[in-house]
């Protein structure tokens, strides 16, 4: 059938050839991805299959799993899901408690945030998805697109993950039938078409038997797209083009030379580029203070460099000695972030104590932490219908909603849509010190009065 | 204009930048951090990352070694050499002192180890110095419980890790806020693999204790591992020391760290062997993880590294 794989922007990288890269920089780098779903979808089996078939499981780990499989199951068949069960409490209860991180390497380096589906679902999903560039949503072809699949896709889009893979699993149960696959694709596309995920790919797989996970399936000749691993290896990430994004360097720390050393006046503004490229000699503005100057030098411990590229950690020496520190953001003068003390944002609420209008929290955005007041709960998302419910006054654990915040001092930010680094924040409860929300800035309200 | 040149950091550069960011966040947000130094390769990488994060300034924290008294002498020499080169402050917290003061009780028998006693010494030292953050070199690829631990891992006033009450950790917005008596363990190498560490050591040409390279020593076989013959380990019946070429993949006490047969005497040869290995470093060389399926999980809950 034509039309698979589906890519809504129609642009699939045609070639894997790498352009010549400057020293220290190379081609396809680290891919951070996330998988979410429940045991029933075969998620653990899929991950186990991915790791085992790409020979990423060490012999002693595999032996441990073989032994545990023999002890726990009647038939002693290798239970691939045991590979990813971490804690004793989880094995005893047959559930997964927390996000687990896995590392593997084929032609590319991968970091997988494996998110459980059972408990505290949204909170875990957001934790795993926040740093991911690609999200795998599992759909059991037998059960079709269920509410949880929609929720996965919604959170993927909310968290701004640019690449979504829908792994249509258990194809063995439907006799590798193309029509069954196509039906899932149609249902999924019906609602996902409205989500701003640029790149969607559907892959028919059988995690149990390994079809289209690492090896190409001979039982589905009608599918001519990549296998899951091929896609993971080939997908091109947007941050491979940092020059297309605004330069943002949040100042973390000021480096000063110790007394008595020759460069005693050294003052380095140290931080990790959240996005973009900064060059020596560029005119920059520090926000929210608004001070302007030029970049005199960009330093790394390996010596000065001409340009810094996200996500590099660097230290910048400015031409003028400004009395500013942590919490400022360095940007190009012609491309500054928004500076405001009021903002609207989508938040995922992660605390058992509900968010309510009128409450105060600490907000940490980039390297700046100030107090914030919840001015208004604009709406709460109905997680079943994925529609906003207005007139909500609070957000409960695992709710997602939109709020308006006022801060005690201005923040320098972008919208999350434009910049995941500078458009994100956390809220901290000052009494318990817990992280209670993950927030994505939608915008700053226009000034109310002329 | 057009053709955008793809600029992307190599995976080692990405990991390095992430780790430096983590270390600077701790320095900026916590009052009294400390860097835990074990003398192993991960510690060596941590020290290099601290240089990259804070030079030409001084480290905004001291370095602390929990000395079990059963270390490989080569490791102690390495520790003192590196600290002297760096010109930074070293604190030594001694397990022997904890035993002498009655805070910890020595195990006995051929399998006696001070591995678990370290936790007492560590927590006492953290309390004594009022540390609110402690950097460790642990990696998530090491072990299943560690795979689920946060980069900023909150510890209550008893130093305990509660896997069910971990703070959500989103983006790179770390929350290190603690009350007096509590602290965070911070793991800048969380996302590194063993091979990443070795490739980084090779790239940065880092100094290491010589036991990481193949050398001849007296060893004996126990549980399929080759232990160093030393005054700290009593031989059990039938255990006979013999001479063998070995190197170590991890550095713990002489009582619980096994060597692997190897002729790899250079960094390049070691990296090549690690890249080709089919066994994890803890599975191959650490008796302390073999107590039970959940050995690490149990020790972490008690406040272990």
């Amino acid at each position: 059938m034509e039309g698979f794989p589906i890519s809504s922007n129609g642009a699939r990288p045609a070639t894997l050839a790498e352009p010549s890269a400057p020293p220290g920089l190379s081609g396809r780098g680290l891919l951070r991805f996330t998988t979410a779903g429940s045991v029933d979808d075969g998620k653990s089996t899929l991950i186990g299959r991915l790791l085992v078939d790409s020979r990423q499981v060490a012999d002693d780990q595999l032996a441990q799993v073989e032994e545990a499989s023999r002890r726990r199951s009647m038939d002693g068949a290798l239970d691939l899901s045991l590979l990813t069960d971490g804690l004793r409490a989880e094995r005893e209860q047959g559930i997964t408690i927390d996000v687990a991180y896995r590392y593997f390497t084929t032609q590319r380096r991968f970091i997988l945030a494996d998110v459980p589906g059972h408990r505290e679902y949204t909170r875990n999903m957001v934790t795993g998805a926040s740093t991911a560039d690609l999200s795998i949503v599992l759909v059991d072809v037998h059960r079709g697109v269920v509410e949880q699949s929609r929720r996965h896709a919604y959170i993927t889009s909310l968290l701004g993950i640019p690449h979504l893979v829908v792994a249509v699993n258990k194809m063995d149960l439907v006799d590798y039938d193309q029509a069954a696959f196509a039906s899932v694709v149609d249902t999924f596309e019906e609602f996902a078409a409205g989500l701003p995920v640029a790149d969607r790919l559907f892959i028919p797989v059988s995690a149990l038997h390994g079809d289209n996970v690492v090896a190409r399936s001979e039982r589905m000749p009608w599918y001519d797209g990549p296998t899951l691993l091929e896609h993971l290896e080939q997908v091109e990430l947007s941050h491979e083009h940092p020059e297309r994004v605004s330069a943002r360097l949040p100042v973390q720390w000021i480096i000063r030379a110790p007394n008595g050393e020759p460069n005693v006046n050294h003052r380095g503004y140290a931080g990790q580029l959240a996005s973009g490229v900064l060059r020596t000699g560029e005119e920059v503005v520090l926000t929210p203070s608004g001070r302007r100057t030029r970049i005199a030098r960009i330093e790394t411990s390996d010596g000065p460099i001409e340009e810094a590229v996200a996500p590099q950690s660097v230290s910048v020496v400015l031409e003028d000695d400004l009395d500013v520190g942590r919490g400022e953001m360095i940007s190009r003068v012609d491309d500054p972030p928004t500076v405001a003390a009021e903002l609207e944002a989508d938040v995922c609420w992660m605390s058992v104590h509900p968010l309510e209008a009128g409450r105060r929290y600490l907000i940490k955005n980039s390297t700046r932490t100030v107090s914030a007041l919840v001015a208004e709960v604009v709406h709460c998302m109905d997680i079943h219908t994925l529609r906003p419910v207005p007139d909500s006054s609070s957000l409960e654990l695992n709710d997602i909603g939109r709020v308006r915040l006022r801060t005690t001092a201005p923040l320098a930010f972008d919208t999350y849509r434009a910049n995941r680094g500078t458009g994100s924040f956390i809220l901290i409860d000052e009494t318990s010190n817990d992280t209670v929300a993950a927030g994505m800035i939608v915008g700053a309200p226009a000034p109310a009065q002329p | 204009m057009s053709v955008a040149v793809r600029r992307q950091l190599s995976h080692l550069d990405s990991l390095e930048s992430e780790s430096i960011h983590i270390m600077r966040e701790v320095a900026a947000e916590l009052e009294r951090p400390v860097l835990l130094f074990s003398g192993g390769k991960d510690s060596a990488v941590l020290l290099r990352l601290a240089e990259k994060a804070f030079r030409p300034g001084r480290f905004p924290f001291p370095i602390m070694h929990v000395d079990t008294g059963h270390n490989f002498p080569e490791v102690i020499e390495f520790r003192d050499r590196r600290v002297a080169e760096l010109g930074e402050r070293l604190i030594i917290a001694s397990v022997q002192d904890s035993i002498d003061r009655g805070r910890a009780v020595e195990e006995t028998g051929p399998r006696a180890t001070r591995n678990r006693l370290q936790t007492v010494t560590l927590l006492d030292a953290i309390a004594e110095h009022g540390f609110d953050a402690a950097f460790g070199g642990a990696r998530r690829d090491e072990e299943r419980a560690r795979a689920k631990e946060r980069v900023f891992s909150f510890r209550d006033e008893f130093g305990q890790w509660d896997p069910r009450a971990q703070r959500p950790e989103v983006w790179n917005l770390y929350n290190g806020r603690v009350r007096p008596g509590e602290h965070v363990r911070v793991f800048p190498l969380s996302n590194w693999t063993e091979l990443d560490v070795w490739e980084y050591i090779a790239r940065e040409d880092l100094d290491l204790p010589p036991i990481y390279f193949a050398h001849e020593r007296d060893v004996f076989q126990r549980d399929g591992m080759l232990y160093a013959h030393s005054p700290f380990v009593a031989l059990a019946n039938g255990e006979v020391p013999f001479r063998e070429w070995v190197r170590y993949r991890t550095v713990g006490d002489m009582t619980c760290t096994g060597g692997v047969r190897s002729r790899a005497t250079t960094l390049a040869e070691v990296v090549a062997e690690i890249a080709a290995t089919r066994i994890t470093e803890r599975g191959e060389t650490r008796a302390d993880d073999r107590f039970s399926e959940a050995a690490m999980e149990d020790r972490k809950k008690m406040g272990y590294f």
Side-chain angles (χ1 to χ4, degrees):
Chain A
M1 185 193 281
E2 293 289 307
F4 302 120
I6 288 172
S7 173
S8 63
N9 62 6
R12 190 147 287 293
T15 168
L16 288 179
E18 301 294 341
S20 59
L25 306 175
S26 71
R28 258 182 195 96
L30 204 55
L31 176 74
R32 295 175 195 248
F33 71 106
T34 182
T35 54
S38 59
V39 182
D40 305 335
D41 299 326
K43 179 177 66 82
S44 298
T45 309
L46 180 75
I47 294 165
R49 175 61 67 189
L50 193 60
L51 298 177
V52 169
D53 284 9
S54 57
R55 289 184 48 80
Q56 299 297 315
V57 180
D59 291 348
D60 57 317
Q61 289 172 322
L62 201 56
Q64 247 183 1
V65 169
E66 280 165 0
E67 196 193 316
S69 298
R70 269 196 300 277
R71 267 205 316 274
R72 292 195 179 99
S73 81
M74 298 293 185
D75 55 3
L78 187 62
D79 183 354
L80 289 174
S81 69
L82 291 175
L83 261 177
T84 53
D85 285 340
L87 305 173
R88 171 159 51 195
E90 297 174 330
R91 292 192 297 273
E92 283 168 0
Q93 296 170 41
I95 56 159
T96 315
I97 290 168
D98 217 309
V99 182
Y101 294 87
R102 329 235 153 246
Y103 302 83
F104 67 104
T105 307
T106 61
Q107 295 170 29
R108 185 178 212 165
R109 292 284 170 135
F110 297 103
I111 299 179
L112 162 60
D114 180 15
V115 177
H118 289 295
R119 298 172 77 247
E120 308 211 324
Y121 168 77
T122 305
R123 170 183 153 134
N124 280 319
M125 172 93 193
V126 169
T127 297
S130 65
T131 52
D133 302 304
L134 181 147
S135 162
I136 299 176
V137 171
L138 259 116
V139 176
D140 176 345
V141 68
H142 214 56
R143 289 160 62 208
V145 177
V146 295
E147 185 183 309
Q148 209 178 42
S149 337
R150 297 154 58 93
R151 219 181 296 176
H152 292 170
Y154 170 67
I155 290 175
T156 295
S157 83
L158 185 72
L159 270 285
I161 301 178
H163 306 278
L164 171 66
V165 174
V166 181
V168 182
N169 192 22
K170 306 198 183 178
M171 287 301 293
D172 50 305
L173 294 184
V174 296
D175 230 5
Y176 303 96
D177 177 35
Q178 185 179 0
F181 172 67
S183 150
V184 169
V185 174
D186 289 345
T187 317
F188 199 96
E189 280 293 277
E190 224 168 89
F191 91 95
L195 300 175
V197 180
D199 180 41
R200 293 191 289 280
L201 174 68
F202 293 82
I203 306 177
V205 303
S206 165
L208 191 63
H209 301 292
D211 297 77
N212 286 337
V213 178
V214 171
R216 202 161 275 279
S217 172
E218 290 175 3
R219 290 174 281 221
M220 290 178 276
W222 45 268
Y223 173 76
D224 59 4
T227 67
L228 180 60
L229 182 63
E230 284 169 359
H231 182 61
L232 295 176
E233 286 173 339
Q234 291 165 19
V235 69
E236 189 183 5
L237 303 177
S238 55
H239 61 61
E240 291 174 38
H241 300 284
E243 71 287 346
R244 295 176 186 169
V245 193
S246 305
R248 300 283 184 259
L249 177 63
V251 176
Q252 278 189 284
W253 176 258
I254 306 294
I255 296 177
R256 291 187 187 84
N259 287 335
E261 296 216 355
N263 50 351
V264 68
N265 290 322
H266 179 98
R267 190 172 163 84
Y269 293 79
Q272 182 177 23
L273 254 94
S275 60
V277 181
L278 272 183
R279 292 183 184 83
T280 303
E282 274 181 329
E283 193 178 2
V284 293
V285 58
L286 280 82
T287 46
S289 71
R291 306 290 298 269
R292 293 180 169 212
T293 182
R294 279 181 190 280
I295 294 180
R297 291 196 306 282
I298 302 173
E299 300 190 324
T300 70
S301 62
D302 304 313
I305 53 175
E306 267 307 297
E307 59 174 35
V309 180
Q312 246 177 324
S313 280
V314 294
S315 170
V316 164
V317 178
L318 302 174
E319 278 187 4
D320 302 291
D321 188 12
L322 307 177
D323 187 24
V324 293
R326 178 174 170 86
E328 293 282 316
M329 179 121 65
I330 299 175
S331 313
R332 274 201 300 275
V333 164
D334 57 5
D335 185 16
T338 303
V339 175
E342 186 168 358
L343 56 89
E344 213 165 273
D346 290 325
V347 297
C348 300
W349 194 249
M350 300 170 155
S351 167
V352 290
H353 307 292
L355 168 144
E356 283 161 3
R359 281 190 189 251
R360 277 174 189 281
Y361 301 94
L362 291 175
I363 181 171
K364 181 176 182 183
N365 164 242
S366 298
T367 56
R368 193 168 173 83
T369 305
V370 300
S371 279
L373 174 79
V374 180
E376 185 192 350
V377 179
V378 180
H379 65 236
C380 177
M381 288 298 290
D382 183 324
I383 207 74
H384 307 285
T385 62
L386 300 182
R387 287 181 206 292
V389 181
D391 302 325
S392 314
S393 60
S394 67
L395 298 178
E396 308 280 335
L397 176 66
N398 291 325
D399 276 352
I400 294 168
R402 183 160 299 179
V403 297
R404 202 158 48 80
L405 301 175
R406 280 210 305 273
T407 57
T408 49
L411 296 172
F413 58 84
D414 297 282
T415 63
Y416 188 77
R417 211 36 88 201
N419 197 315
R420 286 173 85 183
T422 56
S424 53
F425 63 84
I426 54 173
L427 295 180
I428 298 167
D429 181 319
E430 241 180 314
T431 317
S432 67
N433 285 332
D434 274 340
T435 304
V436 291
M440 289 140 285
I441 298 172
V442 177
Q449 308 301 324
Chain B
M1 296 226 352
S2 248
V3 183
V5 177
R6 181 187 293 135
R7 292 192 183 86
Q8 200 184 8
L9 300 184
S10 72
H11 80 276
L12 278 185
D13 288 328
S14 303
L15 292 171
E16 178 192 74
S17 281
E18 178 182 83
S19 303
I20 291 170
H21 172 262
I22 292 164
M23 296 184 93
R24 286 171 173 165
E25 282 300 282
V26 171
E29 294 211 329
L30 286 127
E31 297 284 325
R32 294 175 72 84
V34 64
L35 187 148
L36 301 178
F37 177 85
S38 71
K41 64 185 189 309
D42 303 302
S43 299
V45 170
L46 273 190
L47 288 181
R48 166 65 98 207
L49 291 167
E51 288 182 272
K52 296 210 177 201
F54 303 110
R55 291 294 188 238
R58 299 195 99 56
F59 291 1
F61 41 74
I63 297 162
M64 184 163 81
H65 181 227
V66 176
D67 185 351
T68 61
H70 289 172
N71 300 284
F72 288 89
E74 295 93 329
V75 171
I76 299 298
E77 285 158 25
F78 168 71
R79 176 194 74 192
D80 294 340
R81 182 168 73 240
R82 273 304 281 148
V83 169
E85 279 167 9
L86 290 166
E88 300 288 348
R89 186 158 76 97
L90 174 70
I91 297 169
I92 297 171
S94 153
V95 172
Q96 187 61 54
D97 283 355
S98 300
I99 293 168
D100 293 345
R101 282 186 292 157
R103 297 280 299 148
V105 179
E106 187 96 87
E107 294 177 6
T108 53
R111 285 165 192 276
T113 161
R114 289 181 167 183
N115 186 278
R116 273 161 292 187
L117 307 191
Q118 291 179 93
T119 302
V120 175
T121 309
L122 173 65
L123 293 179
D124 283 356
I126 285 174
E128 180 192 332
H129 294 274
F131 293 130
D132 55 6
F135 289 110
R139 308 185 319 266
R140 286 174 176 152
D141 81 322
E142 282 179 75
E143 199 276 334
R144 293 194 291 190
R146 284 191 166 159
K148 304 208 164 187
E149 189 162 10
R150 304 283 190 255
V151 174
F152 275 50
S153 185
F154 176 78
R155 302 300 164 104
D156 64 16
E157 57 197 317
F158 303 102
Q160 297 180 104
W161 180 60
D162 179 358
R164 286 167 178 275
Q166 299 198 84
R167 289 178 180 167
E169 197 163 80
V170 284
W171 298 289
N172 61 356
L173 298 172
Y174 301 106
N175 171 7
R177 295 177 66 88
V178 290
R179 284 181 278 228
E182 302 167 343
H183 69 281
V184 280
R185 299 285 171 85
V186 181
F187 304 111
L189 304 182
S190 286
N191 286 327
W192 297 52
T193 64
E194 183 190 15
L195 187 57
D196 293 330
V197 166
W198 279 107
E199 287 179 350
Y200 191 75
I201 288 166
R203 186 183 94 173
E204 301 285 316
D205 198 20
L206 298 187
D207 187 10
L208 286 182
I211 63 171
Y212 278 111
F213 302 95
H215 57 286
E216 242 188 325
R217 79 160 63 222
D218 289 333
V219 297
F220 67 95
Q221 184 139 4
R222 177 184 289 178
D223 304 334
M225 293 198 279
L226 298 176
Y227 288 94
H229 182 41
S230 78
F232 309 126
V233 191
L235 295 175
N237 272 344
E239 290 174 342
V240 184
F242 56 97
R243 201 94 182 129
E244 184 59 274
W245 278 85
V246 294
R247 66 175 169 80
Y248 290 83
R249 276 178 85 178
T250 64
V251 167
D253 272 3
M254 297 187 87
T255 60
C256 67
T257 309
V260 296
R261 285 190 177 83
S262 172
R263 288 276 182 168
T265 54
T266 67
L267 212 41
E269 287 167 356
V270 171
V271 174
E273 281 193 4
I274 300 286
T277 188
R278 295 292 305 155
I279 306 176
T280 64
E281 62 183 22
R282 289 202 160 257
E284 186 167 51
T285 64
R286 291 301 280 269
D288 43 335
D289 286 340
R290 291 186 169 189
F291 292 123
S292 77
E293 233 182 315
M296 176 66 86
E297 182 181 345
D298 293 343
R299 282 180 300 154
K300 283 190 87 68
K301 285 181 183 162
M302 301 297 290
Y304 188 73
F305 295 100

